[in-house]
Amino acid sequence: VSVEPTARTVDDAAEGLVLVPGGAGFVGSHLCDRLVERGCHVLALDDLSTGDAEHVAHLARHPRFRLVVRDLATGLPDEARVARRIYNLACPASPAHYQRRPVQTTLTSVLGAWHLLEHAQSVGARLLQASTSEVYGDPEVHPQRESYWGHVNPIGERSCYDEGKRCAEALCFAYRREREVAIRVARIFNTYGPRLTPGDGRVVSNFVVQALRGDPLTVYGEGRQTRSFCYVDDTVEGLLRLMDSAHEGPFNIGNPREHTVLELAELVLRLTGSRSRLEHRPLPADDPRRRRPDIVAARAALGWEPRVALEDGLQRTIEWFRATLGLPSPRTVVLPAVAAITAA
Ligand SMILES: NC(=O)c1ccc[n+]([C@@H]2O[C@H](COP(=O)([O-])OP(=O)(O)OC[C@H]3O[C@@H](n4cnc5c(N)ncnc54)[C@H](O)[C@@H]3O)[C@@H](O)[C@H]2O)c1
């Protein structure tokens, strides 16, 4: 992990406009909340392909917030040209979404990063690139350290995302080496929380919605594959700390506690009180068997580690889905007979 300060930095006291490509997405909208709370002027740029203007609707009238709808791969709008800090979160993150339009996924990652780096170079802005644990592919070492080069299928169904993100990282470091652009790279691991999209194929949203609806929980393979789940507030805190730090990374931002998919399913069933059964399906292509971040570097350099326990984070996520989808608790038993007796 490179921890040398980048050559050009912006003055922390005068951040100016903060640009958040992907600001109407799941992680991006939580980040916008925190930035506005901090007193920043925030411009969210989003093509709403997988995000939702509803995620930032509560900020719509805020004097320090604006959402511009635009495809980042086509360039930056004029109003973004004064941005001095950029958190690039634009890119579909769930496999179901990014595999739907693989060409656009790759172009968003690569051309999106390129437009932002050109801008950063021209005004001396600092760019934080949201990279991903997917740069490690189906890892052969465990847990994954930032020094691990990864094990990615370059032509597989996931490559539009994995290789797009790897190229975006490479581009960031090329701009830093050749043109002294200030970069920060965060490799985000599985993040969950309110504002996940139901039906986007991510395991937490899948299980929670299925459990609340009383539908079978779809477990791919035997469910012995592991994931580490980081609550969105923790992930956002990691991104903010990295942006403010003198370190460029890359840093793993994720929760080092590892759970099997079956354990997650059982926890969701317990917390929702659902009687849904498990339904096993074939493993998708190139599905990683194990995923767990080593966060020693982020702990040491950023003083960051996740604080929200899985059970607490899931509880908040379940409540949000219940309220948003208008789904009753499976424990709520409707007793028409009692109502009838009372009425009588
Ligand atoms: N959530 C996770 O578990 C996770 C894990 C690793 C990395 N990440 C990264 O974090 C970022 C945010 O992920 P998320 O979970 O919030 O996903 P998301 O799909 O909810 O958010 C991505 C946002 O980017 C927008 N977008 C996509 N293509 C765009 C384009 N061409 N121009 C403008 N906007 C565009 C989408 O509309 C959406 O609002 C992504 O870059 C993702 O790769 C997320």
Side-chain angles (χ1 to χ4, degrees):
V1 178
S2 163
V3 288
E4 59 187 282
T6 45
R8 276 200 207 176
T9 55
V10 293
D11 178 3
D12 283 358
E15 282 176 15
L17 182 73
V18 182
L19 177 64
V20 185
F26 159 53
V27 179
S29 62
H30 287 276
L31 176 65
C32 288
D33 284 343
R34 285 288 306 277
L35 290 168
V36 169
E37 262 170 49
R38 280 179 149 199
C40 300
H41 288 260
V42 178
L43 181 68
L45 184 156
D46 203 297
D47 68 354
L48 303 180
S49 52
T50 58
D52 189 341
E54 272 302 304
H55 291 342
V56 287
H58 56 287
L59 295 174
R61 287 173 190 276
H62 198 288
R64 282 185 280 101
F65 179 82
R66 258 191 83 193
L67 168 66
V68 172
V69 178
R70 165 116 183 202
D71 177 357
L72 177 65
T74 63
L76 289 183
D78 286 342
E79 50 270 64
R81 298 202 176 274
V82 289
R84 303 299 297 268
R85 284 192 170 200
I86 306 157
Y87 292 82
N88 181 21
L89 278 79
C91 188
S94 96
H97 286 157
Y98 66 66
Q99 288 173 15
R100 202 165 51 203
R101 292 195 303 158
V103 173
Q104 175 66 8
T105 298
T106 308
L107 294 181
T108 293
S109 273
V110 180
L111 292 184
W114 176 61
H115 288 303
L116 295 171
L117 286 159
E118 282 286 311
H119 163 75
Q121 183 190 346
S122 67
V123 302
R126 185 181 292 182
L127 169 72
L128 185 148
Q129 169 66 16
S131 190
T132 169
S133 56
E134 301 281 337
V135 299
Y136 302 123
D138 187 4
E140 294 159 306
V141 301
H142 210 72
Q144 293 83 52
R145 278 217 180 121
E146 290 88 345
S147 53
Y148 176 51
W149 290 357
H151 181 227
V152 173
N153 176 352
I155 56 167
E157 284 174 16
R158 302 171 81 103
S159 62
C160 56
Y161 183 73
D162 303 4
E163 296 291 13
K165 289 285 187 178
R166 286 168 70 97
C167 184
E169 279 197 23
L171 207 50
C172 285
F173 280 87
Y175 269 78
R176 200 268 282 148
R177 287 189 189 105
E178 189 182 321
R179 304 184 186 182
E180 299 187 347
V181 172
I183 56 154
R184 304 286 183 271
V185 176
R187 292 183 180 155
I188 303 173
F189 281 63
N190 274 19
T191 296
Y192 71 98
R195 301 183 196 153
L196 275 170
T197 308
D200 69 0
R202 294 194 239 196
V203 66
V204 172
S205 43
N206 266 8
F207 282 177
V208 169
V209 173
Q210 288 164 338
L212 289 174
R213 289 193 169 134
D215 294 339
L217 270 56
T218 43
V219 175
Y220 296 108
E222 290 180 16
R224 298 225 173 92
Q225 65 275 37
T226 67
R227 297 291 184 270
S228 58
F229 302 101
C230 193
Y231 189 65
V232 65
D233 290 359
D234 283 329
T235 298
V236 167
E237 179 64 27
L239 300 181
L240 292 168
R241 284 187 189 218
L242 174 55
M243 179 64 105
D244 288 341
S245 85
H247 307 291
E248 63 190 14
F251 288 105
N252 289 336
I253 298 292
N255 195 318
R257 290 209 58 181
E258 192 178 8
H259 300 268
T260 66
V261 167
L262 272 186
E263 281 165 6
L264 178 74
E266 277 152 21
L267 187 55
V268 168
L269 289 178
R270 179 161 67 74
L271 294 176
T272 53
S274 171
R275 295 210 178 90
S276 292
R277 59 188 177 79
L278 305 186
E279 193 174 278
H280 290 267
R281 300 250 178 98
L283 268 182
D286 300 329
D287 195 49
R289 287 154 295 172
R290 293 184 80 185
R291 243 334 144 51
R292 181 181 154 213
D294 178 317
I295 61 163
V296 170
R299 266 200 195 108
L302 311 177
W304 174 87
E305 65 184 343
R307 305 223 166 265
V308 181
L310 181 60
E311 190 158 333
D312 296 339
L314 273 179
Q315 199 68 266
R316 294 182 215 172
T317 310
I318 289 165
E319 286 320 313
W320 182 81
F321 270 113
R322 219 194 281 282
T324 307
L325 302 177
L327 295 171
S329 161
R331 280 202 179 115
T332 309
V333 183
V334 183
L335 295 171
V338 175
I341 292 165
T342 314

